[in-house]
Amino acid sequence: MSEPRRIFTVDHAPSTLQAWQAPTQQAAFRQLLDAFSYPGRRVELNTEEDALVLVLATLLDGGVTLADPQGLVSADDQRRLGVMTVNPEQAQYVVMSGDHVPDFQPVLGTLESPEQGATLILKVDSLGGDDCLRLSGPGIEIETALSVSGIDPAWWALRSSWNGAFPLGIDLILVAGNQVVALPRTTRIQGAD
Amino acid sequence: MNRHYELPLDEAAYSFGFLDEFAKREIRRTILKAISIPGYQTPYASREMPMGRGFGTGGLQLTLALIGANDTLKVIDQGSDDSVNAVNLRHFVELTCPQVDTTERTSEATLIQSRHRIPEHPLSEQQILVLQVPYPDPLVVVEPSEARRKVMHGEGDYSRLLTKLYEDIVQFDEITISHRYPTRINGHYVIDPSPIPRYDVPQLHQSKALVLLGAGREKKIYAVPPYTNAAPLVFDDVPFRIEDFREASGARRACDRCGACDSFLDEMIADDGSKSWQCSDSDYCNEQLAVNASPAEVKA
Amino acid sequence: MGYVAIKGGGRAIRGAEAALEALRTAEGEAGTPLTLDAIENQLRLLTSRVVSEGGLYHPRLAALAIKQMQGDTLEAAFALRAYRSTKPRLLEAPLQNTGQMRLIRRISSAFKDIPGGQMLGPTSDYALRLMRLDLADESPEAFRKVSSQFMAGVSDSELPDTFPKVVDALRSEGLLPPLSLHHQHAFDITRDPLVFPVPRSAALATMARAETGSLLAIAYSNMRGYGDVHPTIAELRVGYLPVMLPHPVTGEPIEAGEVLVTECEVVAMYESGEQDGPTHFTLGYGACFGHNEVKAIAMAILDRALQKGMRDGPSNPSEDPEFVLLHVDGVDSMGFASHYKMPHYVTFQSDMDRLRTTQAKATEQQGVQA
């Protein structure tokens, strides 16, 4: 017996396109806020759909620029985001997969306007609490342990050089499945060599 | 003028939280950048709200961008939930965010919006404090041009501000800044912590909760992340002093209502000219009153 | 659902609302509520001012705001601005051509005669400011008679619609630099905060919805000598600008409606152009919603002053973009002035603490010296 066809009635909220609903974005934003407030803390996004798309939909729209050098975002999603796509050297937001090494320098901001430093959103394989990396800095009481798989080690050296002159720098969001970790430019990372 | 058009029929077709999603996303992006650059005044577009600039539109925009159906909101002004400004803001949120709970109990709140005070009760990691800011920039006393101030902030050059503080000491033997005490965050940016009294500044240091500061008119958002150093500017030989609530005898004053000796007190003048003192934080006062009440009173 | 019970503060606010409504309706039995038509028409210049300062072209809503705020222009503009703030953006209009304005008034001070002529239109410039006591008890019949008689014998075909721009004549003679279409995206002050230095479009947008008195005061300072614009009005025009929008299907420009606009172009001191090019007059531009000539003139003078300030550095407050642009918005300035009425007793407690400590120290020192 084949599966009955699903029919959507007007008062049945479609289970797709949740990322574009206001309450979903509000909840996702609070998770991201937690991640940035307590760097290294793994937060869980509540979604049945692609968590990376949810992160993008929560943060991006026609007011910002995005670079997607590997084409990770579908044409449909790009259209829904309404974001302007530009080169990675100019973008306010860059989305990449962690196993690729970037061949560009992202926007680092200026002394007067450090907020222009880009946000890099990396898709990685998994995030854990094993003692691979030791994080400290604002938002961390003493130290936090973090392990990341599916990220090329070159990223850590690049981050270190890009963020070498505070307040200039970039801020990282790592997405693995439904889990997210944020590494703002203020987080000090040890054990990444 | 053209006669052939109608007035809009949709009186209250506002989205949840009054602000449109575009505005909320911009504020949310700004918040994350502000946390990433602790103490930096991050510019944002700042929408007009139905209450005046100076009445907390910056704090309100933060609250509306953060708030969701699971939140419980507390709004205070001068420490009190019943102050007219707090009542007005809370009413607005109740109107525009239909499923949100509001409370007077600090311990029950997930979001606290406050004007001029940090609650006496230390906050937890599950709470966010939003402070209303009239003047975001501590350098405004020494430099009127914003463009020049941005360079000074970027370079961490606060020499002119320190000189101004020192001039105070030379003249008055004290730093005379009462509230809005310049405080250095994470060793770099010096902020105006909003018109909270000096009494509250130590609560910013290594707080468990995130503190967000919103200036609506000046269009800036800045943050003191949790577990971050917040150091009021001082000199080696002139310490940072909080407000002194000691009587002439040297004893620390107590609240006339609940008996607490460890809270910021409001000074009130009665019709007959006599003075009384009461906790500024109304929730704290109620809590202490319940704690200090005799068993007979509690049962009744 | 948990709500906080309303106590003293809430009751006070309710009481204030009731008192306001009582004042608004104080005429009692003898009164009739103002109609929006009456405000829009008989107080058209007041409505223009609110439309302009609210930054939303909706004269009817502006009339409502005036009625609701009992005539306070700052509050009425604020209400309009707050309303606008929640409306979704559908699209950005392409560049509009003010040469297409359906004019009701058009003059030039630079020339005695201009193509199309000097058309005074509805102006009180040359009226004697004598009080018309007959208006105190105006009969409805006399009132209605006026509009039925005005221009009764004149056919539409006799009325000129559009007029050429005076500045075009100056340009073709080389006295003004040629018009270059920048194709730069105009700065959107409703989406992006002003972070100085800002482009000219940001200055113009800010001034277009600025509070009239604030703009006038600063422009006046320039006219009186805190500056050297020395303007001559090339053209001042008031009329209805057709708003051309792309058709949603064909993309062809169609007239979606028209907006009443005041536009002023002033010619100021000459200076050498870019890269030591030929010397030209310089141009100052002012434009705003509604009929508000003083605002457009002030804006044009400040546009010129700010351009000079942005290029050479300001020598006067009117040439300083930060000074001008951050202090002319009525909603911001009014809100902040009003906020001083809010409770400030915690900060005052803090002030008293500092003063008492300082006084105590001084007394101590005197005691020691004595």
Side-chain angles (χ1 to χ4, degrees):
Chain A
M1 174 95 119
S2 59
E3 281 256 287
R5 269 195 314 153
R6 293 180 67 189
I7 299 163
F8 291 100
T9 55
V10 282
D11 52 355
H12 176 111
S15 59
T16 51
L17 301 183
Q18 284 233 313
W20 313 97
Q21 308 294 328
T24 313
Q25 289 192 8
Q26 185 273 332
F29 171 69
R30 290 295 286 276
Q31 293 294 79
L32 288 171
L33 182 72
D34 230 35
F36 270 84
S37 301
Y38 305 97
R41 179 178 295 184
R42 284 163 287 136
V43 301
E44 186 95 14
L45 291 183
N46 185 10
T47 179
E48 291 155 6
E49 300 163 2
D50 188 346
L52 181 65
V53 171
L54 178 53
V55 170
L56 295 176
T58 299
L59 296 179
L60 311 186
D61 55 35
V64 294
T65 53
L66 173 72
D68 181 15
Q70 296 163 269
L72 297 178
V73 182
S74 74
D76 274 346
D77 284 333
Q78 259 189 36
R79 186 179 41 83
R80 289 183 196 117
L81 285 172
V83 76
M84 208 175 7
T85 37
V86 299
N87 293 330
E89 293 87 6
Q90 301 162 314
Q92 291 161 284
Y93 291 83
V94 183
V95 59
M96 285 186 69
S97 63
D99 54 5
H100 272 69
V101 179
D103 58 355
F104 59 88
Q105 175 170 290
V107 182
L108 301 183
T110 64
L111 263 187
E112 292 109 310
S113 301
E115 80 281 10
Q116 290 170 357
T119 304
L120 273 49
I121 303 163
L122 300 189
K123 196 174 163 111
V124 298
D125 290 337
S126 69
L127 299 163
D130 304 327
D131 200 6
C132 254
L133 305 168
R134 292 182 307 284
L135 311 180
S136 59
I140 302 166
E141 198 171 355
I142 300 164
E143 219 180 59
T144 289
L146 177 71
S147 60
V148 185
S149 70
I151 190 165
D152 193 299
W155 274 101
W156 303 123
L158 284 167
R159 176 186 180 271
S160 185
S161 94
W162 291 336
N163 292 357
F166 185 82
L168 278 60
I170 54 97
D171 308 298
L172 279 173
I173 300 177
L174 307 179
V175 183
N178 274 24
Q179 290 201 324
V180 173
V181 156
L183 297 171
R185 68 193 73 177
T186 46
T187 302
R188 295 182 292 276
I189 302 180
Q190 279 180 299
D193 27 67
Chain B
M1 302 208 203
N2 192 339
R3 264 174 266 263
H4 305 298
Y5 60 95
E6 297 299 321
L7 278 176
L9 294 171
D10 56 340
E11 179 60 85
Y14 301 122
S15 48
F16 178 88
F18 185 78
L19 295 170
D20 59 273
E21 292 305 306
F22 200 99
K24 282 193 206 145
R25 267 190 299 268
E26 199 225 348
I27 294 168
R28 291 169 181 168
R29 287 193 291 265
T30 308
I31 291 172
L32 296 185
K33 277 303 172 198
I35 294 172
S36 305
I37 313 166
Y40 169 70
Q41 301 159 55
T42 319
Y44 76 113
S46 188
R47 299 291 194 276
E48 280 93 358
M49 306 296 291
M51 62 283 297
R53 290 291 198 209
F55 286 70
T57 58
L60 183 63
Q61 286 177 80
L62 281 172
T63 295
L64 294 175
L66 291 165
I67 205 162
N70 293 334
D71 278 302
T72 302
L73 175 71
K74 174 178 163 82
V75 184
I76 49 173
D77 178 9
Q78 314 292 294
S80 165
D81 307 84
D82 196 35
S83 183
V84 279
N85 181 242
V87 168
N88 207 20
L89 288 168
R90 191 169 53 238
H91 182 59
F92 180 73
V93 175
E94 285 164 359
L95 274 182
T96 57
C97 306
Q99 295 139 307
V100 170
D101 281 340
T102 55
T103 183
E104 287 184 3
R105 308 296 324 275
T106 305
S107 52
E108 284 173 12
T110 56
L111 262 187
I112 299 162
Q113 179 171 334
S114 170
R115 177 170 173 264
H116 296 192
R117 285 255 27 228
I118 295 183
E120 302 283 349
H121 221 109
L123 304 175
S124 74
E125 289 188 6
Q126 280 67 47
Q127 300 176 299
I128 301 171
L129 177 63
V130 171
L131 293 177
Q132 297 175 204
V133 178
Y135 312 94
D137 202 329
L139 287 177
V140 91
V141 291
V142 296
E143 175 53 72
S145 156
E146 183 172 335
R148 282 193 281 271
R149 290 197 303 264
K150 280 173 82 78
V151 175
M152 290 159 76
H153 278 295
E155 294 173 351
D157 173 17
Y158 298 102
S159 48
R160 285 168 62 188
L161 182 58
L162 289 164
T163 305
K164 172 95 178 58
L165 294 182
Y166 193 71
E167 281 164 8
D168 268 359
I169 294 169
V170 166
Q171 195 173 7
F172 299 108
D173 214 18
E174 280 281 332
I175 293 175
T176 57
I177 298 179
S178 55
H179 49 281
R180 294 177 55 208
Y181 199 95
T183 304
R184 192 185 295 262
I185 307 300
N186 194 37
H188 188 114
Y189 287 97
V190 172
I191 65 165
D192 181 322
S194 85
I196 55 175
R198 294 186 315 284
Y199 197 85
D200 291 346
V201 170
Q203 291 227 55
L204 294 172
H205 179 71
Q206 295 290 326
S207 157
K208 290 191 164 68
L210 168 69
V211 179
L212 292 173
L213 299 102
R217 187 181 47 88
E218 293 288 339
K219 305 176 178 43
K220 305 285 193 303
I221 290 171
Y222 47 113
V224 182
Y227 304 117
T228 301
N229 290 340
L233 294 189
V234 288
F235 296 91
D236 286 340
D237 51 352
V238 184
F240 172 73
R241 273 198 246 279
I242 61 174
E243 286 81 359
D244 185 347
F245 290 106
R246 284 174 303 172
E247 299 174 17
S249 63
R252 208 301 191 169
R253 276 186 220 281
C255 168
D256 290 329
R257 181 170 178 259
C258 73
C261 294
D262 56 357
S263 67
F264 190 94
L265 300 173
D266 291 336
E267 183 177 328
M268 286 174 294
I269 307 178
D271 288 340
D272 63 0
S274 64
K275 281 201 196 151
S276 68
W277 300 79
Q278 220 176 82
C279 292
S280 142
D281 185 329
S282 53
D283 177 52
Y284 189 73
C285 200
N286 290 337
E287 208 179 67
Q288 294 306 303
L289 201 59
V291 162
N292 293 336
S294 68
E297 283 163 16
V298 169
K299 274 200 191 131
Chain C
M1 176 90 77
Y3 285 146
V4 168
I6 303 295
K7 298 205 289 273
R11 276 203 296 273
I13 293 178
R14 300 276 167 287
E17 276 171 21
L20 267 180
E21 269 297 273
L23 277 180
R24 192 175 70 79
T25 55
E27 288 169 86
E29 294 300 308
T32 29
L34 283 172
T35 64
L36 298 190
D37 269 338
I39 297 173
E40 241 189 282
N41 288 284
Q42 296 180 53
L43 300 178
R44 65 180 188 91
L45 296 173
L46 176 63
T47 307
S48 272
R49 183 165 169 152
V50 171
V51 166
S52 174
E53 293 174 14
L56 177 70
Y57 193 83
H58 200 313
R60 203 140 184 81
L61 265 186
L64 176 60
I66 289 166
K67 177 175 175 171
Q68 181 181 333
M69 301 306 184
Q70 300 175 34
D72 184 330
T73 54
L74 292 168
E75 288 284 355
F78 178 19
L80 210 56
R81 197 74 87 77
Y83 180 86
R84 177 213 170 284
S85 170
T86 64
K87 292 295 131 190
R89 167 170 303 193
L90 300 176
L91 58 81
E92 277 180 39
L95 270 184
Q96 305 294 318
N97 181 0
T98 53
Q100 293 303 307
M101 277 163 72
R102 182 167 68 84
L103 294 180
I104 65 172
R105 170 164 159 71
R106 183 267 207 147
I107 55 107
S108 170
S109 319
F111 296 97
K112 182 165 176 184
D113 205 0
I114 41 178
Q118 306 271 11
M119 199 172 70
L120 283 188
T123 177
S124 50
D125 284 347
Y126 306 104
L128 299 174
R129 267 69 161 189
L130 299 170
M131 297 284 256
R132 278 186 54 191
L133 295 172
D134 60 297
L135 284 181
D137 195 10
E138 197 178 7
S139 86
E141 292 78 26
F143 180 88
R144 288 165 200 152
K145 201 164 158 199
V146 176
S147 69
S148 65
Q149 285 184 344
F150 182 68
M151 308 249 296
V154 185
S155 81
D156 274 358
S157 57
E158 291 177 54
L159 303 173
D161 223 12
T162 60
F163 294 71
K165 302 283 299 276
V166 172
V167 289
D168 287 342
L170 292 171
R171 278 199 186 99
S172 57
E173 205 194 312
L175 294 173
L176 274 177
L179 196 60
S180 58
L181 286 177
H182 287 276
H183 296 291
Q184 269 167 17
H185 210 67
F187 189 96
D188 186 345
I189 59 171
T190 67
R191 286 283 160 86
D192 298 312
L194 292 181
V195 178
F196 293 89
V198 295
R200 188 179 171 204
S201 59
L204 289 171
T206 304
M207 290 195 286
R209 61 177 202 175
E211 200 272 316
T212 304
S214 313
L215 218 53
L216 179 57
I218 302 178
Y220 183 50
S221 77
N222 187 293
M223 294 175 218
R224 282 200 65 254
Y226 287 89
D228 56 3
V229 174
H230 305 304
T232 307
I233 294 181
E235 185 165 2
L236 173 81
R237 45 170 65 196
V238 183
Y240 293 89
L241 174 69
V243 179
M244 307 301 289
L245 298 180
H247 189 278
V249 174
T250 67
E252 289 303 301
I254 53 158
E255 185 179 324
E258 50 179 24
V259 294
L260 180 64
V261 165
T262 307
E263 184 193 52
C264 179
E265 287 160 316
V266 309
V267 167
M269 297 290 282
Y270 56 80
E271 66 186 22
S272 58
E274 310 299 312
Q275 295 126 15
D276 292 316
T279 318
H280 293 127
F281 280 128
T282 51
L283 195 64
Y285 185 84
C288 57
F289 282 148
H291 187 169
N292 193 335
E293 298 177 22
V294 159
K295 179 167 176 174
I297 295 169
M299 186 174 156
I301 290 170
L302 285 177
D303 173 46
R304 185 81 288 281
L306 290 178
Q307 280 185 77
K308 175 171 181 292
M310 291 194 246
R311 197 182 83 151
D312 303 336
S315 353
N316 290 294
S318 62
E319 293 171 358
D320 182 348
E322 244 194 79
F323 184 85
V324 174
L325 300 178
L326 292 181
H327 300 117
V328 294
D329 187 83
V331 172
D332 283 353
S333 56
M334 172 269 270
F336 203 54
S338 290
H339 110 285
Y340 285 108
K341 296 175 275 183
M342 282 212 289
H344 279 79
Y345 53 83
V346 165
T347 52
F348 193 63
Q349 181 64 236
S350 194
D351 287 342
M352 286 196 284
D353 169 84
R354 282 292 83 194
L355 181 57
R356 285 167 179 158
T357 305
T358 304
Q359 283 178 342
K361 277 213 165 165
T363 316
E364 236 176 69
Q365 278 162 6
Q366 279 166 12
V368 164
Q369 279 161 12

